[in-house]
Every structure is written in C-alpha cells, then in structure tokens.
Amino acid sequence: MWSRISAERIADIGPEIINAKLRRGGLMQAEYLDACAILTRKDRDMGRAIAFFSHQQIWERLLGLTGKTLTDC
C-alpha cells in the first residue's frame, strides 16, 4: 500500500524545498506508519514525529513557504 501512495503522492524533492507533508519521511509517511502500528497492535510511538511535521506544515502554510526553496525565503 505504501508503494502506491509513494508513487502517486510523495514527491522526491531535495532538502532545499520546503514541504513537510508530501516529502519522503514527512507527515504523510509518519501518519501511515502510525496507522499501521495501530492496526497491527505494535508499540510504535509516532506521536512526536506527527506533531513535529504537523506544526511545520502549519507554519509553512501560514508563511506561504510550501514548495519554495530555502534561498527564496
């Protein structure tokens, strides 16, 4: 399932592009891993990672930085 989500939604962007949600290892992947852990009843605490990326995404949107490079900021 993750391979399909990754192929359709996750962008292979470099670290210079700001996007907390749709990057490899970002919010969407953390939420997916958390959901898998809940379904399989494994003890993986993704709460801190999800909270971090959620806050980063909120600030990106508030400041209008999503998709911009670090040099554009």
Side-chain angles (χ1 to χ4, degrees), residues 30-48:
E31 289 175 337
Y32 177 81
L33 291 173
D34 189 49
C36 289
I38 290 169
L39 290 173
T40 59
R41 300 177 187 216
K42 293 190 177 182
D43 188 22
R44 290 189 182 162
D45 185 21
M46 297 298 294
R48 289 178 56 191

Side-chain angles (χ1 to χ4, degrees), residues 1 3 6 16 22 28 31-32 35-36 42 46 59 70 72:
M1 183 68 174
S3 61
S6 179
E16 68 278 354
L22 299 177
M28 185 173 277
E31 289 175 337
Y32 177 81
C36 289
K42 293 190 177 182
M46 297 298 294
W59 281 107
L70 293 176
D72 292 340

Side-chain angles (χ1 to χ4, degrees), residues 9 31 39-40 42-43 45 50 53-54 62-64 66 69:
R9 297 283 300 175
E31 289 175 337
L39 290 173
T40 59
K42 293 190 177 182
D43 188 22
D45 185 21
I50 291 171
F53 283 117
S54 294
L62 286 172
L63 298 173
T66 303
T69 64

